[in-house]
Amino acid sequence: MEQQVLQLLAATLEPAPETRTNAERHLEQLYTNDAFPICLISIASHNSVEPPLRQAALLVLKTFVLRTWSQSLEEFQPGVTISDATKDQVRQSLLALATSGDQERKVISASSYVVSKIASVDFPEQWPSLLPTLLQLIPRSHENQLHGVLVVLGNLVEDGFDEEQFGKSAVELVKCIYDVATDEGKTLTSRALAISIFRACFDTMELMYQTDKASVRQFMQEASDAWTPFFVNVLKIPLPRIPTDEHEDEAGPGSWRGVVALKTQVVKALDKIHRLFPHLLSQHTLSLFSTVWESLQAHVGPYVTLYVTDNQQGRLEDADRLPYTLDFLVIEELDYLQTLFGSVTVKRELDAQLTPEKISNGALEGTWIAQIMAILVGYSQITQEDEGLWNFDVNVFLSEETSETANYSPRNACTVLVQKLTKWPVLESLLGYTKTTFEGAPESNARAKEAALFVLKQILDELDSCSAEVNPNLARAYLEYIGLAMRDDDEFLRARGYISAARLTTISSAGLLDIVPEYAQRTLSIIDQDASDVVKVSCIRSLQEYLKTLPSSRAREFQVQTVAAISNFLSSQDLSELKDSEDLLDTLVETLRDAIMADPSLCLEHPALDVLFTMASYGASSFQTTMLVNEAFESITSSMAAKGPDAYSQLCAKVLPTLTGALDVGDMTSENTLSDMAVSLLSSLAEHGLKPLPQNFVATVMPKLYRLLFSSNDFSLNQSATVTIRHLLSRDADQVFSWQDPATGKGGLEIVLLIIDRLLGPDVDDASAAEVGGLAVELVEKAGADRLGPYLMQLLRVVAVRLSTAEHASFIQNLVLVFARLALTNAKEVLDFLAQVHIEGGAGGTGLEVVLRKWLEHSVHFSGYDAIRQNIIALTNIYKLHDERLANIQVQGDLMADNSSRIKTRSQSKRTPDRYSIIPVPLKLTKVLISELSNPLTPSTPGLMQNKLSGDSDDEDGEWEDEPNIVDLGNPTTTAELMAYADEAKWNVHQLDDDTQSYLIDFFKQASTEPDFQNLYHGLTDEEREKLHSMDNKQAVQ
């Protein structure tokens, strides 16, 4: 069998797609053979087999395990059953391979990964010997074997443990890896791996801390006391001599790569301890701060040599994902230093060193603040790699400049560190360093000059965000060096000069506002004159600062020139490449928007809107660019509409031909993104339109939208088109109803009904039909029962049927609100109608049953103030009917508690889904309304990350002055968490306004006096009852 499998594995590596596909299919057919996984492990274990084939065998084994091993794995596919005997043999053979000491690191890594996947579902129940075996192997393994053991153990700690399992083995595990980390006889890579495992333990310890603080605190304190002296000693190890190219891959004792990898893991571990358990290192804070400080000072020279002077490759990791290049170490040290700057002890010591008696003649030279400026400038210098990338693609330069890049570099880390320093005289200190750099350094040292001005801008940004004052004398002193930079031959220094000038002159406290028009004009002029694209885009971006600062009367003077400059720049670019230059497009759109908004009415007299639409067409596939164009056009539209019907009509006359033409082009070229962009702009135009809309507006737009909605399957395009028609109905329903489609002869009302019918049909998915409910509501309200006639009941029936199969939360809300809006005034008629509707299918029954189940199960997830308010009033109206039919309908009640303390993964949720109680509609309705009551004595929006351990009340020493609910935006991890939180919150807003809260409280006070409510009260939970009892307190608070 091995020969057959070897041939198939070789075929999977062939370049011909058909050969690969056939081989993969034949390998899948062997899944049912119990010998197949054993055969793969055997092939992977043979040193005589070529490494690519060994790796291919493990890759196939990984796929086999993920698909067949356990239904708890997300990729599991039913159909193949593996015997227990085979599983046991696979576990033992695979672990033996992973810990064999094989020379092929990729084989060890691949086999360890498969072990971790099996362990994630089998440990400890089906594989109780795994962890004891690993811990026993560690002290008696030779070096190559130890490496494999550590890789397996690391994967197990990261993915295979829960809190209970970790707690039972924590002491022995941490002791084992400590022995490896501190053993100078081991390779530096193995020691780094051991530290990495120790750091991974903290994620599990953080979870355990929530339930057993005392035990965890004691354990972690003991561990910290043992590890910290070792960490400090590692940080003090000097870097070896910078290796030559031929020695770059050496990883022996004392090697450059090994030392850097070891030091990097130490800093990462310390930073994690400080973020999760800051009290553990309080007594070592000053020692750690000074040690990291000295390391950063020592590493500036090698860093500049490797990456600024030379062009060594950075951001490299080995096969075990251990970073081993100096730039990674520097990033970790800079980030850890900014963490330590949050310590009260550190700040107190730094303040003491800046007292007048400690500073000779009041000069800052030689002080720590002068040293930190040298560190920041040193690591902020443009690397050779960045210079090459920026010259090749100006879009990369802009992404770095706007900090919207995934490439987190030492230069970015310096930006974060600056935020911690502005309480001290950083501008004064940097000025001295800048003077030395510009006046004393060689003419060729443009990188240091650029870095000094780069740090200046970061300081100014932070001071401005805090509304801190900038000394005018300092500002004018800096302006002298900025002027030198603007005239320099180096394009990057020249660009930095214009960026810095815009930032400095537009800060009001700097006292330079009188020269803003002069600098704005110089910046505008250079866009056409300079040969460098980097300088051009820097100036275009800098114009945003000037346009926002200048009074509107002066800003409008620059509008025509700015539009012309952007238009000329666009004409000089290869427009076919513009689609991939998102940051460049965004910068151009933002600057054009600011220029137009100086006086939107002027955009009708010059090609500003044409330029905007040109950029929109090339950036249609970019979400960010599309959003910016929509925001700009929305601002223009609302501003023109505010000027009256004539201005709005002129705007429509100018833009409608372009937008409808874009729809035609998008239709011919099947460019959905272009059509979507055009429809979104049409939607803004209609949304902000005046009543009535300009003549022939509907006749111009509706045929295009009608065609799109019947031909496109793009969900975003369908949503935008649906919303646009809703806006047309809202603004001018009479024009819609009086319009007749020349192609079909159908009237506007019939066309809208046909559109709704299509979107509610089974062939259109939830996402594409997400906005149809709003359109249906608008049609019912504007047309009325008399005009709709028999179509009204048919429309509502189709909505109820579609609701029975809807799955997306936003779509369900959209459809439910059709009935909610009607129930605001006709609740009984709505129930009577739904009771007469019969819905087929698995979720079928009467319309009343289907609609109320979906309504009540998803009501608590509704978003938007208006939607929530209408929903609550509609539900209270239904409750007040006391309709006996509702008591006979059973719906999903409360979640039934799961006694397991283990975190439930998505795969476990599939295997053991949540269970709910079953209750009647009146009780569920009451529970839903109670859930909408705010907790009376707690804030509606708790402080973000308030449960972070760094803010835990057990941290009595007060070492960290940051308040518990203040988010440290300087920390990259925190920033990522905040962005994730913001993105989620954007789409899941569920808050009530005060008026709705008051209405709800009044409703419950009245309902509580009724006999029916007393019966429902017994079905409420203790928490729900407490909410009701607290209503008086709520009103008192309000």
Side-chain angles (χ1 to χ4, degrees), residues 625-677:
T625 305
T626 300
M627 183 178 68
L628 287 171
V629 170
N630 279 326
E631 288 178 353
F633 188 68
E634 185 176 351
S635 298
I636 295 167
T637 303
S638 59
S639 177
M640 296 297 284
K643 294 180 180 296
D646 290 342
Y648 178 75
S649 296
Q650 292 175 31
L651 176 66
C652 292
K654 184 175 182 64
V655 302
L656 277 178
T658 302
L659 296 179
T660 54
L663 288 178
D664 292 334
V665 172
D667 187 39
M668 289 186 293
T669 60
S670 299
E671 285 281 349
N672 284 337
T673 53
L674 179 60
S675 298
D676 191 17
M677 170 76 81

Side-chain angles (χ1 to χ4, degrees), residues 218-238:
Q218 179 181 354
F219 172 77
M220 292 310 303
Q221 189 65 65
E222 293 173 355
S224 174
D225 291 342
W227 283 78
T228 302
F230 162 66
F231 284 162
V232 172
N233 290 335
V234 171
L235 291 177
K236 291 181 178 179
I237 297 174

Side-chain angles (χ1 to χ4, degrees), residues 946-995:
Q946 64 181 5
N947 292 325
K948 280 288 186 185
L949 297 177
S950 57
D952 195 277
S953 59
D954 291 343
D955 188 13
E956 300 95 348
D957 56 15
E959 167 65 15
W960 303 90
E961 73 171 17
D962 291 337
E963 299 175 14
N965 289 339
I966 300 299
V967 183
D968 180 9
L969 293 177
N971 190 295
T973 303
T974 304
T975 304
E977 291 174 351
L978 181 62
M979 291 303 295
Y981 173 88
D983 288 343
E984 181 179 352
K986 180 178 179 181
W987 306 110
N988 294 280
V989 176
H990 188 95
Q991 295 180 339
L992 272 66
D993 58 88
D994 292 339
D995 289 341

